[in-house]
Amino acid sequence: MKVLVLQCKRFEILKRILDSFDVRCLKDADDNFLNSAEVVLAHSWKKLESVLPKLKNLKMIQAFSAGVDHYHFEKIPENVIVCTNSGGNSWGVAEHAVALIFAALKKMIYRHNEMLKGRFPQMLESKLLRGKVVGLMGLGNIARDLSAMLRGFHPHFMGISRSGKCDFCDDFMFVGTVKQIDFLLKNSDIVVLALPLTKSTKGLINMEKLQLMKKDAILVNVSRGKIIVEEDLYEFLKNNTNFTAALDAWWHYGERFKQNYPFEKLSNVILSPHCAGSYEGFWDELTIWAAENIKLFAQGKPRNVVKRGDYV
């Protein structure tokens, strides 16, 4: 099987795992190879889009990222399957979610800033995770790893997934479908968004949903910014100062941090620059995960196959 790699960082890992495959970097692939390549490992949509017309024998696109909301599926032939890289960095993202949760519970940013000003807010009460209800929206790899990490602190768990099924949720208080999101939001002390951005999840958390949540709840987003309505979250936070949002995903990206609303001026926001998936060794882990899925595809059992209807 011929595999085209669009960015050749960690190429030696790919060659080792795919030792029986013909694997080539884009710079080393002539037109004959492009024409006959069956699999492409894509690190960006822009580069993939530029080479797609030459991939006449393409059968599978393996994304390097966990999300493919930036793909233009109308430009991908119907017979080509697309697989995300979900799970490749789930442990690192889950650890970051833990950090955000505790930063919010313990008011770490506020205390730090106060001490920089010479103040000493010793007796300001923080919250315990013990006994709190953690609502996980999305019951995939991140939620699996996150719940495993948090169990030692003895919270209660609730979860929502598209199917309403979960293979690691035996101790959860409640597992439901998106139709039951209101129940989860009303009863959770901490809500973690760990689900893909699709047609059905875009704008899922709006003013109506935010108003269902507890007044002192914590909302953690380690997925995609556009799952939340930007204006609604800003206005809600501005008017509900006991509510905390810990955000690692945003609506607008560039060299400087700038959203349509000045979240950085709010005292009840913890800001994180979409870095949950960037940690020591993450590139290796993602490369291994992607390569292993290409092998699974060759065996006829790939994981993380995208449903086009979720995006088109």
Side-chain angles (χ1 to χ4, degrees):
M1 181 172 285
K2 295 183 179 181
V3 179
L4 174 68
V5 184
L6 298 187
Q7 183 170 324
C8 281
K9 199 170 183 178
R10 303 298 192 273
F11 188 66
E12 70 282 357
I13 294 177
L14 291 168
K15 289 288 289 183
R16 173 171 51 82
I17 296 175
L18 302 175
D19 58 341
S20 63
F21 294 60
D22 187 355
V23 185
R24 300 188 195 181
C25 294
L26 180 59
K27 62 183 179 63
D28 298 321
D30 57 21
D31 286 342
N32 287 333
F33 186 87
L34 295 177
N35 188 59
S36 57
E38 298 164 86
V39 176
V40 59
L41 174 55
H43 297 71
S44 75
W45 168 254
K46 185 176 181 180
K47 189 169 287 188
L48 174 61
E49 183 181 21
S50 68
V51 77
L52 263 178
K54 297 182 179 180
L55 305 178
K56 304 299 185 182
N57 196 42
L58 187 63
K59 297 180 174 63
M60 179 222 196
I61 297 170
Q62 173 62 57
F64 196 72
S65 59
V68 290
D69 47 277
H70 56 298
Y71 277 31
H72 295 266
F73 281 87
E74 71 279 2
K75 297 183 179 181
I76 300 172
E78 289 286 342
N79 64 304
V80 176
I81 71 165
V82 178
C83 295
T84 73
N85 214 15
S86 300
N89 62 354
S90 61
W91 188 267
V93 175
E95 280 198 12
H96 196 83
V98 171
L100 292 174
I101 289 170
F102 277 104
L105 286 170
K106 305 304 178 184
K107 304 182 187 298
M108 294 301 296
I109 307 301
Y110 173 79
R111 293 178 196 265
H112 173 83
N113 289 335
E114 286 294 287
M115 292 185 74
L116 290 179
K117 298 172 185 175
R119 300 171 187 145
F120 202 75
Q122 180 181 10
M123 300 310 294
L124 174 68
E125 291 187 356
S126 62
K127 295 181 180 180
L128 296 176
L129 181 55
R130 184 184 66 202
K132 296 295 188 295
V133 177
V134 178
L136 300 173
M137 292 187 57
L139 293 174
N141 296 291
I142 295 171
R144 177 201 63 212
D145 292 342
L146 178 58
S147 60
M149 294 175 190
L150 296 182
R151 282 189 175 93
F153 297 95
H154 306 293
H156 306 292
F157 293 104
M158 304 176 74
I160 290 290
S161 69
R162 179 161 55 182
S163 67
K165 298 177 181 178
C166 177
D167 59 5
F168 57 85
C169 299
D170 291 347
D171 60 343
F172 279 36
M173 298 168 58
F174 167 79
V175 175
T177 68
V178 177
K179 293 180 180 179
Q180 296 161 299
I181 183 177
D182 291 1
F183 180 78
L184 180 142
L185 293 174
K186 288 177 182 177
N187 291 283
S188 296
D189 299 293
I190 302 163
V191 173
V192 181
L193 303 181
L195 65 172
L197 176 62
T198 65
K199 288 193 305 183
S200 61
T201 63
K202 185 178 181 180
L204 183 63
I205 303 298
N206 56 21
M207 183 63 75
E208 177 187 351
K209 299 304 183 188
L210 290 166
Q211 289 173 341
L212 295 174
M213 298 179 68
K214 296 181 180 182
K215 296 303 180 184
D216 62 345
I218 297 168
L219 176 65
V220 177
N221 190 4
V222 289
S223 51
R224 292 292 185 268
K226 291 180 181 178
I227 291 172
I228 309 173
V229 178
E230 181 183 4
E231 180 181 7
D232 289 2
L233 179 61
Y234 176 78
E235 293 297 332
F236 185 79
L237 288 168
K238 190 170 66 172
N239 296 313
N240 294 271
T241 55
N242 290 326
F243 188 99
T244 304
L247 308 175
D248 186 55
W250 300 91
W251 298 269
H252 312 286
Y253 290 82
E255 292 183 2
R256 296 185 59 83
F257 175 70
K258 185 174 178 56
Q259 307 302 303
N260 287 333
Y261 300 87
F263 285 90
E264 67 279 4
K265 294 182 179 180
L266 300 176
S267 61
N268 52 342
V269 178
I270 297 172
L271 303 91
S272 176
H274 205 151
C275 60
S278 302
Y279 53 87
E280 54 185 359
F282 82 96
W283 197 279
D284 289 0
E285 289 192 358
L286 287 173
T287 301
I288 291 168
W289 197 253
E292 289 176 344
N293 199 38
I294 292 171
K295 289 185 74 173
L296 288 173
F297 169 72
Q299 298 165 17
K301 48 183 181 182
R303 64 190 168 212
N304 299 330
V305 179
V306 171
K307 294 182 179 179
R308 285 174 177 258
D310 290 344
Y311 298 92
V312 177

